[in-house]
Amino acid sequence: MSTESKKQEMIIDWQNRMDQDEMLNCMRCGFCLPSCPTYEESGFQESQSPRGRIALMKGVADGLIEPDEKVEESLNQCLGCRACEPVCPSGVKYGHLLEEVRDVVNQNKTHSFPEKVIRHGVFYELFPHQNRMRMAVGFLGLYQRTGLQKAVRKTKLLNRLPEPMGTMEKVLPQVPKMRDMKNRPVHYHTENPQKRVAFFSGCLMDTMFMSTNDATAKLLQKAGCDIVIPESQACCGALHGHSGEKEKAKAMAKRNIEAFEELNVDYIVTNAGGCGAFLIDYGHLLKDEPEWTERAETFAGKLKDMSTVLMELDFPGRGYRLPAQVITYQDSCHLKNVMHTTTEPRQLIQSIQGTEYKEMKDAGRCCGSAGIYNIVESEMSMKILDSKMINAKAAKAATIVTTNPGCLLQMKLGIEREGLTDQVRAVHLADLLLEAVEYEEKEVSSV
């Protein structure tokens, strides 16, 4: 098929699939502009704003603009942070438009052979299969524990990688051993439980960040939750949904709905903002499949972030403490803008006795991680991170708390880039709270 024929097919698909009403809801008022990191960091280019990107989508759908490389570049450079949605007077669901148009572009694009191999490997052969995720992370663990990591660093091979990737290697967590990842509990019993919850363990969260999942389970137990973890659950599908692999995202959504819907639980709990935001949107993802829509809405109706559950069960009232330190918080974009959870993490942090909480300026502004954005759009990502670190340093905090694995790695990357590793740390909220629990228990036992 000729390039021109392929382009015409894309335009027809674009016109058929893009929600005209949603695009027309954009009044071009500009309220979204101050909230958009790429608009600011690009020098206020209209094509790098939500309003500008919707205008491009509408222009292609109306036959006024060709879907060329410049249009695709504008769409790809969007972080998908969805900070534009809460400030939009018309309530435009920009994130839904972005995911749909990226799928249209991807499904009608001719990928090079290396791109096809990489996309197939990542989206179809790795992330949907938790056993393969364990194996991949297990190899990373061997790299860290066998001395190979030290040898590679001595040879300075990492210096030949693009700067963000080379630095990222330094901030990866110490990953668990393969046998520990395989031998995961499926039920955490609690005496006299107040709530029975199911835990969405995720793919990376239950491998590379397994200790954070363990911390989350312990906190929920302390708060009075009986916890069940269905073994048949899958990756949430966010990476696929954001990268133009909508059908695969749907398949994983259905698998997760089936895994959780027969459980007699009060809540489905997540501890990763990016996962939670995609899970709670399953109703929209499956809106064209009536037999799944209601099941998806029921699933989403039970979904809560761990911070919300802990606050509901009065976790702060237990009086945990840590040594004196200043703590600040960096919002997960999706936890804030999609799940609308902002006060609960802050309340939990502020409840830790012996510490001082200091709000970071523009804490709700994206840090530039956005899934794999910091790899595929590293230049813009690093500009956004550099701006974020200005505010992080101004807070003069010893601990930066986040609620999403991508944000956590990005903040660690920023700390490393700024040469602050001996002064500042970045931790997930669950790890900080468990640290406070264990510190208080140790203090009590030593009296």
Side-chain angles (χ1 to χ4, degrees):
M1 184 181 294
S2 68
T3 302
E4 188 59 34
S5 298
K6 193 75 173 174
K7 186 180 293 184
Q8 287 304 312
E9 278 200 2
M10 181 188 292
I11 292 173
I12 293 170
D13 200 19
W14 197 304
Q15 292 170 336
N16 291 337
R17 289 178 54 184
M18 294 306 295
D19 189 331
Q20 291 283 350
D21 291 337
E22 196 67 69
M23 289 188 291
L24 285 171
N25 279 341
C26 177
M27 300 184 301
R28 313 291 191 265
C29 65
F31 274 79
C32 60
L33 300 182
S35 69
C36 180
T38 57
Y39 177 68
E40 181 176 304
E41 296 298 339
S42 68
F44 309 106
Q45 292 182 33
E46 185 69 19
S47 63
Q48 294 295 326
S49 73
R51 178 177 70 178
R53 290 184 176 108
I54 292 175
L56 291 175
M57 296 177 200
K58 186 73 168 62
V60 174
D62 291 343
L64 302 175
I65 301 173
E66 287 202 355
D68 56 18
E69 291 182 359
K70 288 186 178 179
V71 171
E72 185 179 353
E73 180 183 350
S74 172
L75 297 173
N76 287 342
Q77 287 211 324
C78 178
L79 292 147
C81 68
R82 297 175 72 168
C84 50
E85 292 186 17
V87 299
C88 177
S90 301
V92 175
K93 297 296 184 182
Y94 173 82
H96 295 167
L97 290 172
L98 180 68
E99 286 177 7
E100 193 69 30
V101 76
R102 282 180 171 172
D103 191 61
V104 170
V105 171
N106 180 60
Q107 299 308 320
N108 290 278
K109 183 179 180 180
T110 302
H111 294 285
S112 67
F113 181 72
E115 285 179 316
K116 287 180 181 178
V117 171
I118 292 171
R119 289 184 71 90
H120 183 79
V122 171
F123 295 127
Y124 290 84
E125 300 299 331
L126 181 59
F127 276 85
H129 306 281
Q130 193 64 0
N131 59 329
R132 296 176 189 175
M133 286 293 296
R134 294 189 193 105
M135 188 176 295
V137 173
F139 282 127
L140 176 59
L142 288 174
Y143 167 75
Q144 292 176 332
R145 291 189 295 271
T146 58
L148 182 58
Q149 184 179 53
K150 291 182 180 179
V152 168
R153 288 179 176 179
K154 283 183 180 179
T155 62
K156 298 185 178 181
L157 286 173
L158 296 173
N159 294 342
R160 299 182 182 180
L161 295 174
E163 189 270 331
M165 291 183 66
T167 307
M168 186 67 77
E169 189 272 349
K170 298 178 182 178
V171 301
L172 289 174
Q174 289 295 311
V175 301
K177 295 178 181 179
M178 181 77 77
R179 65 172 179 269
D180 295 329
M181 287 187 280
K182 287 182 177 179
N183 299 323
R184 305 290 286 127
V186 295
H187 200 155
Y188 290 82
H189 294 281
T190 305
E191 290 186 14
N192 303 315
Q194 298 181 50
K195 297 288 182 181
R196 175 177 162 83
V197 304
F199 181 52
F200 182 82
S201 53
C203 47
L204 277 177
M205 286 303 299
D206 212 40
T207 51
M208 186 177 293
F209 297 93
M210 192 180 83
S211 61
T212 300
N213 271 5
D214 290 342
T216 303
K218 290 176 182 177
L219 293 171
L220 291 170
Q221 278 186 298
K222 288 280 184 184
C225 292
D226 203 44
I227 309 162
V228 60
I229 306 176
E231 295 182 88
S232 57
Q233 65 178 295
C235 168
C236 68
L239 182 63
H240 301 75
H242 301 329
S243 304
E245 297 287 349
K246 188 176 180 180
E247 289 306 311
K248 192 61 179 175
K250 285 183 177 182
M252 286 187 285
K254 293 172 185 177
R255 181 173 163 185
N256 283 323
I257 292 168
E258 288 178 331
F260 284 87
E261 66 183 351
E262 296 302 323
L263 302 175
N264 180 27
V265 296
D266 299 295
Y267 306 129
I268 299 170
V269 182
T270 178
N271 61 359
C275 295
F278 200 75
L279 294 167
I280 210 167
D281 250 355
Y282 275 179
H284 174 78
L285 181 67
L286 299 170
K287 64 182 174 60
D288 297 324
E289 302 186 43
E291 69 276 21
W292 282 97
T293 305
E294 185 176 345
R295 295 165 72 180
E297 295 291 357
T298 301
F299 173 92
K302 288 190 173 184
L303 197 74
K304 286 184 181 288
D305 182 69
M306 55 156 277
S307 62
T308 303
V309 177
L310 291 177
M311 285 302 300
E312 182 178 324
L313 297 174
D314 193 29
F315 186 84
R318 290 163 170 78
Y320 300 116
R321 64 172 55 247
L322 280 173
Q325 59 186 287
V326 176
I327 304 176
T328 193
Y329 177 64
Q330 164 63 27
D331 285 281
S332 156
C333 293
H334 289 118
L335 185 62
K336 174 180 182 288
N337 300 322
V338 183
M339 295 188 75
H340 309 298
T341 302
T342 57
T343 58
E344 293 90 336
R346 288 171 168 82
Q347 289 172 332
L348 287 166
I349 296 168
Q350 291 169 4
S351 73
I352 301 174
Q353 299 177 20
T355 66
E356 176 188 350
Y357 176 78
K358 187 171 182 180
E359 182 74 11
M360 185 192 305
K361 181 183 178 183
D362 293 332
R365 198 173 187 82
C366 186
C367 64
S369 172
I372 58 172
Y373 186 94
N374 54 7
I375 298 174
V376 298
E377 298 288 346
S378 61
E379 183 179 354
M380 179 61 77
S381 174
M382 292 304 102
K383 286 182 180 179
I384 294 168
L385 177 58
D386 288 343
S387 296
K388 175 61 65 178
M389 290 309 299
I390 292 173
N391 294 333
K393 288 189 291 185
K396 296 182 179 179
T399 301
I400 301 173
V401 181
T402 73
T403 45
N404 190 61
C407 303
L408 177 60
L409 287 178
Q410 187 81 338
M411 296 311 297
K412 285 178 176 287
L413 180 62
I415 291 168
E416 179 72 27
R417 280 164 56 89
E418 295 291 334
L420 298 173
T421 52
D422 59 339
Q423 304 169 44
V424 184
R425 63 172 181 158
V427 299
H428 190 282
L429 175 62
D431 295 309
L432 180 78
L433 293 176
L434 183 62
E435 188 179 322
V437 169
E438 293 177 343
Y439 181 83
E440 174 68 15
E441 289 175 348
K442 185 178 179 180
E443 289 286 295
V444 172
S445 64
S446 64
V447 175

